[in-house]
Amino acid sequence: MSLALTRRASAEFAGTALLVAAVVGSGIAATRLSPHDVGLQLLENALATALALGALILTFGPVSGAHFNPIVSAVDWWLGRHAGTGLTGRDLAAYCVAQVTGAIAGAALADLMFGLPAVAWSHTDRTGGNLWLAEVVATAGLVVLVFALARSGRTSAAPAAVGAYLGAAYWFTSSTSFANPAVTIGRAFTDTFAGIAPTSVPGFVAAQLVGGLVAITALAAWYPHAEDAAHAVVVPKLAEETGRR
């Protein structure tokens, strides 16, 4: 692995870890601060996640693009593979490994910060057609948003826009918008407010993959030549990090 790719993969690892730490940690804090109000718990969890995501995009975006999500990375590779503008196959593999391992590390970190065992399998079942449909919608919307911002030259709005979308999607989807296979896997390692039972993970991940395919179709209709901006997803990387591909 080249030094540049190692640097970008490490940013994806750290960014995804901190994102999951924010999701899980704010969920734990919410249940302790508002033990009798589930609605308030979800609001606290959503606000913390949205704000953290925006900050993490600002922090790691110039290094790796701040994908933090295998679906975003896979669509970036798929759209840009012929034009040479997106991730290469090698980049995609490195990003996905970094994102999944980062998510698991982030869940363990959050548990440890709140005095819990580092790893405890979640017992929260999240299964059913309505939840899977919600994950399709949440994932498709997220992917279309980030590529629309890149294609229209508005990547400077990505930290606020992506954070706002995820924060809102907590509320308008029945699944509370995981929209991310790495985050879904990581959240299986914590038996807390944000957890998901390991047996529920495959259904969520499958729905997220379908959401990615829906997004590719939508982008072809609404944003022709989206592949021209694949290098700028979620935000543009520094030229020295991309090797000026």
Side-chain angles (χ1 to χ4, degrees), residues 157-208:
V162 175
Y165 176 82
L166 263 297
Y170 259 81
W171 290 89
F172 73 72
T173 65
S174 58
S175 64
T176 66
S177 183
F178 285 47
N180 185 327
V183 169
T184 303
I185 293 170
R187 289 168 68 167
F189 286 75
T190 177
D191 193 20
T192 59
F193 180 80
I196 177 173
T199 53
S200 299
V201 168
F204 266 52
V205 171
Q208 291 155 2

Coordinates of all heavy atoms in Angstrom, one line a residue, residues 157-208:
A157 N -20.5 23.0 1.1 CA -21.7 22.9 1.9 C -21.9 21.5 2.5 O -22.8 21.2 3.3 CB -23.0 23.2 1.1
A158 N -21.0 20.6 2.1 CA -21.1 19.1 2.5 C -21.2 18.9 4.0 O -22.0 18.2 4.5 CB -20.0 18.3 1.9
P159 N -20.3 19.5 4.8 CA -20.3 19.3 6.2 C -21.7 19.6 6.8 O -22.3 18.8 7.6 CB -19.3 20.2 6.8 CG -18.3 20.3 5.7 CD -19.1 20.4 4.4
A160 N -22.3 20.7 6.5 CA -23.6 21.1 7.0 C -24.7 20.3 6.4 O -25.6 19.8 7.1 CB -23.8 22.6 6.8
A161 N -24.6 20.1 5.1 CA -25.7 19.4 4.4 C -25.8 17.9 4.8 O -26.9 17.4 5.0 CB -25.5 19.6 2.9
V162 N -24.7 17.3 4.8 CA -24.7 15.8 5.1 C -25.1 15.6 6.6 O -25.8 14.8 6.9 CB -23.3 15.2 4.8 CG1 -23.3 13.7 5.3 CG2 -23.0 15.3 3.3
G163 N -24.5 16.5 7.5 CA -24.9 16.4 8.9 C -26.4 16.6 9.1 O -27.0 15.9 9.8
A164 N -26.9 17.6 8.4 CA -28.3 18.0 8.5 C -29.2 16.8 8.0 O -30.2 16.5 8.6 CB -28.7 19.2 7.7
Y165 N -28.8 16.2 6.9 CA -29.6 15.1 6.3 C -29.6 13.9 7.3 O -30.7 13.4 7.5 CB -29.0 14.7 5.0 CG -29.7 13.5 4.4 CD1 -30.9 13.6 3.7 CD2 -29.2 12.2 4.6 CE1 -31.5 12.5 3.2 CE2 -29.9 11.1 4.1 CZ -31.0 11.2 3.4 OH -31.7 10.1 2.9
L166 N -28.5 13.6 7.8 CA -28.5 12.4 8.7 C -29.2 12.7 10.0 O -29.9 11.9 10.5 CB -27.0 12.0 9.0 CG -26.4 10.9 8.2 CD1 -27.2 9.6 8.5 CD2 -26.4 11.2 6.8
G167 N -29.1 14.0 10.5 CA -29.9 14.3 11.7 C -31.4 14.3 11.4 O -32.1 13.8 12.3
A168 N -31.8 14.8 10.3 CA -33.2 14.7 10.0 C -33.7 13.3 9.7 O -34.8 12.9 10.1 CB -33.5 15.6 8.7
A169 N -32.8 12.5 9.1 CA -33.2 11.1 8.7 C -33.4 10.2 10.0 O -34.1 9.2 9.9 CB -32.2 10.5 7.8
Y170 N -32.8 10.6 11.1 CA -33.1 9.9 12.3 C -34.6 9.9 12.6 O -35.1 9.0 13.2 CB -32.4 10.7 13.5 CG -31.1 10.1 14.0 CD1 -29.9 10.3 13.3 CD2 -31.1 9.3 15.2 CE1 -28.7 9.8 13.8 CE2 -29.9 8.8 15.6 CZ -28.7 9.0 15.0 OH -27.5 8.5 15.4
W171 N -35.3 11.0 12.2 CA -36.7 11.2 12.5 C -37.6 10.8 11.4 O -38.7 10.4 11.7 CB -36.9 12.7 12.9 CG -36.2 13.0 14.2 CD1 -34.9 13.4 14.4 CD2 -36.8 12.8 15.5 NE1 -34.7 13.5 15.7 CE2 -35.8 13.2 16.4 CE3 -38.0 12.4 16.0 CZ2 -36.0 13.2 17.8 CZ3 -38.3 12.4 17.3 CH2 -37.3 12.8 18.2
F172 N -37.2 11.0 10.1 CA -38.2 10.7 9.1 C -38.1 9.2 8.6 O -38.9 8.9 7.7 CB -38.2 11.7 8.0 CG -37.0 11.6 7.0 CD1 -36.9 10.6 6.1 CD2 -36.0 12.6 7.0 CE1 -35.8 10.6 5.2 CE2 -35.0 12.6 6.2 CZ -34.9 11.6 5.2
T173 N -37.2 8.4 9.1 CA -37.1 7.0 8.8 C -37.4 6.2 10.0 O -37.0 6.5 11.1 CB -35.8 6.6 8.2 OG1 -34.8 6.8 9.2 CG2 -35.4 7.5 7.0
S174 N -38.1 5.1 9.8 CA -38.4 4.2 10.9 C -37.2 3.5 11.5 O -37.2 3.0 12.6 CB -39.4 3.2 10.5 OG -39.0 2.4 9.4
S175 N -36.1 3.4 10.7 CA -34.9 2.7 11.1 C -33.9 3.6 11.9 O -32.9 3.1 12.3 CB -34.2 2.1 9.9 OG -33.8 3.1 9.0
T176 N -34.2 4.9 11.9 CA -33.3 5.9 12.5 C -32.1 6.1 11.6 O -31.1 6.5 12.1 CB -33.0 5.8 14.0 OG1 -32.2 4.6 14.1 CG2 -34.2 5.7 14.8
S177 N -32.2 5.7 10.4 CA -31.2 6.0 9.3 C -29.7 5.6 9.7 O -28.9 6.5 9.9 CB -31.2 7.5 9.0 OG -30.3 7.9 8.0
F178 N -29.5 4.3 9.7 CA -28.1 3.9 9.8 C -27.4 4.3 8.5 O -26.3 4.9 8.5 CB -28.0 2.4 10.0 CG -28.4 1.9 11.3 CD1 -29.5 2.3 12.0 CD2 -27.6 0.9 12.0 CE1 -29.9 1.9 13.3 CE2 -28.0 0.4 13.2 CZ -29.1 0.9 13.9
A179 N -27.9 3.9 7.3 CA -27.5 4.3 6.0 C -26.0 4.0 5.8 O -25.4 4.7 5.0 CB -27.8 5.8 5.8
N180 N -25.4 3.0 6.4 CA -24.0 2.8 6.4 C -23.6 1.4 6.8 O -23.8 1.1 8.0 CB -23.3 3.9 7.2 CG -21.8 3.9 7.2 OD1 -21.2 2.9 7.0 ND2 -21.2 5.1 7.3
P181 N -23.1 0.6 6.0 CA -22.8 -0.8 6.4 C -21.7 -0.9 7.5 O -21.8 -1.7 8.4 CB -22.3 -1.5 5.1 CG -22.9 -0.7 4.0 CD -23.0 0.7 4.5
A182 N -20.7 0.0 7.4 CA -19.7 0.0 8.5 C -20.2 0.4 9.8 O -20.0 -0.3 10.8 CB -18.5 0.9 8.1
V183 N -21.0 1.4 9.9 CA -21.6 1.9 11.1 C -22.6 0.8 11.6 O -22.6 0.6 12.8 CB -22.4 3.2 10.9 CG1 -23.2 3.6 12.1 CG2 -21.4 4.3 10.6
T184 N -23.3 0.2 10.7 CA -24.2 -0.9 11.1 C -23.5 -2.0 11.8 O -23.9 -2.5 12.9 CB -25.0 -1.5 9.9 OG1 -25.7 -0.4 9.3 CG2 -26.0 -2.5 10.3
I185 N -22.4 -2.5 11.2 CA -21.6 -3.5 11.8 C -21.0 -3.1 13.2 O -21.0 -3.8 14.2 CB -20.4 -3.9 10.9 CG1 -21.0 -4.6 9.6 CG2 -19.5 -4.9 11.5 CD1 -20.0 -4.8 8.5
G186 N -20.5 -1.9 13.2 CA -19.9 -1.4 14.5 C -20.9 -1.3 15.6 O -20.6 -1.7 16.7
R187 N -22.1 -1.0 15.3 CA -23.2 -0.8 16.3 C -23.7 -2.2 16.8 O -24.4 -2.2 17.8 CB -24.3 0.0 15.8 CG -23.9 1.5 15.6 CD -24.9 2.3 14.8 NE -26.2 2.5 15.5 CZ -27.1 3.4 15.2 NH1 -26.9 4.2 14.1 NH2 -28.3 3.5 15.8
A188 N -23.3 -3.3 16.2 CA -23.6 -4.6 16.7 C -22.8 -5.0 17.9 O -23.1 -5.9 18.6 CB -23.5 -5.6 15.6
F189 N -21.7 -4.2 18.1 CA -20.7 -4.6 19.1 C -21.0 -3.8 20.4 O -20.2 -3.9 21.4 CB -19.3 -4.2 18.7 CG -18.7 -5.2 17.6 CD1 -19.2 -5.2 16.3 CD2 -17.8 -6.1 18.0 CE1 -18.6 -6.1 15.4 CE2 -17.3 -7.0 17.1 CZ -17.7 -7.0 15.8
T190 N -22.1 -3.1 20.5 CA -22.5 -2.4 21.7 C -23.9 -2.7 22.1 O -24.8 -2.5 21.3 CB -22.2 -0.9 21.6 OG1 -22.6 -0.2 22.8 CG2 -23.0 -0.3 20.4
D191 N -24.1 -3.1 23.3 CA -25.5 -3.4 23.8 C -26.1 -2.2 24.5 O -26.4 -2.2 25.7 CB -25.5 -4.6 24.7 CG -26.9 -5.2 25.0 OD1 -27.8 -4.9 24.2 OD2 -27.1 -5.9 26.0
T192 N -26.2 -1.1 23.7 CA -26.7 0.2 24.3 C -27.7 0.7 23.4 O -28.2 0.1 22.5 CB -25.5 1.2 24.4 OG1 -24.9 1.4 23.1 CG2 -24.4 0.6 25.4
F193 N -28.1 2.0 23.6 CA -29.2 2.6 22.9 C -29.1 2.5 21.4 O -30.1 2.3 20.7 CB -29.3 4.1 23.4 CG -30.4 4.9 22.7 CD1 -31.7 4.8 23.2 CD2 -30.1 5.7 21.7 CE1 -32.7 5.5 22.6 CE2 -31.1 6.5 21.1 CZ -32.4 6.4 21.5
A194 N -27.9 2.7 20.9 CA -27.7 2.7 19.4 C -27.4 1.4 18.8 O -27.1 1.3 17.6 CB -26.5 3.7 19.1
G195 N -27.4 0.3 19.6 CA -27.0 -1.0 19.2 C -28.0 -1.6 18.2 O -29.2 -1.2 18.1
I196 N -27.5 -2.7 17.5 CA -28.3 -3.5 16.6 C -27.9 -4.9 16.8 O -26.7 -5.2 16.7 CB -28.2 -3.0 15.1 CG1 -29.1 -3.9 14.2 CG2 -26.8 -2.9 14.7 CD1 -29.2 -3.5 12.8
A197 N -28.8 -5.8 16.9 CA -28.5 -7.2 17.1 C -27.7 -7.8 15.9 O -28.1 -7.4 14.8 CB -29.7 -8.1 17.4
P198 N -26.7 -8.6 16.1 CA -26.0 -9.1 15.0 C -26.8 -9.8 13.9 O -26.6 -9.7 12.7 CB -25.0 -10.1 15.6 CG -24.8 -9.5 17.0 CD -26.1 -8.9 17.4
T199 N -27.9 -10.4 14.4 CA -28.8 -11.1 13.5 C -29.6 -10.1 12.6 O -30.1 -10.5 11.5 CB -29.8 -12.0 14.2 OG1 -30.5 -11.2 15.2 CG2 -29.1 -13.2 14.9
S200 N -29.7 -8.9 13.0 CA -30.4 -7.9 12.2 C -29.5 -7.2 11.2 O -29.9 -6.5 10.3 CB -31.0 -6.8 13.1 OG -31.9 -7.4 14.0
V201 N -28.1 -7.4 11.4 CA -27.2 -6.7 10.5 C -27.3 -7.0 9.0 O -27.3 -6.1 8.2 CB -25.7 -6.9 11.0 CG1 -24.7 -6.4 10.0 CG2 -25.5 -6.2 12.3
P202 N -27.4 -8.3 8.6 CA -27.5 -8.6 7.2 C -28.6 -8.0 6.5 O -28.5 -7.5 5.3 CB -27.6 -10.2 7.2 CG -27.0 -10.6 8.5 CD -27.3 -9.5 9.5
G203 N -29.8 -7.9 7.1 CA -30.9 -7.2 6.5 C -30.7 -5.8 6.2 O -31.0 -5.2 5.2
F204 N -30.1 -5.1 7.2 CA -29.8 -3.7 7.1 C -28.8 -3.4 6.0 O -28.9 -2.5 5.1 CB -29.3 -3.1 8.4 CG -30.4 -2.5 9.2 CD1 -31.5 -3.2 9.5 CD2 -30.3 -1.2 9.7 CE1 -32.5 -2.6 10.3 CE2 -31.3 -0.6 10.5 CZ -32.4 -1.3 10.8
V205 N -27.7 -4.2 6.0 CA -26.7 -4.1 5.0 C -27.2 -4.3 3.6 O -26.9 -3.6 2.6 CB -25.5 -5.0 5.3 CG1 -24.5 -5.0 4.1 CG2 -24.8 -4.5 6.6
A206 N -28.0 -5.4 3.4 CA -28.6 -5.6 2.1 C -29.5 -4.5 1.6 O -29.4 -4.1 0.5 CB -29.5 -6.9 2.2
A207 N -30.3 -3.9 2.5 CA -31.1 -2.7 2.2 C -30.2 -1.5 1.8 O -30.6 -0.8 0.9 CB -32.0 -2.4 3.3
Q208 N -29.1 -1.3 2.5 CA -28.2 -0.2 2.2 C -27.6 -0.4 0.8 O -27.4 0.6 0.1 CB -27.2 -0.1 3.3 CG -27.7 0.3 4.6 CD -26.9 -0.1 5.8 OE1 -25.9 -0.7 5.7 NE2 -27.4 0.2 7.0

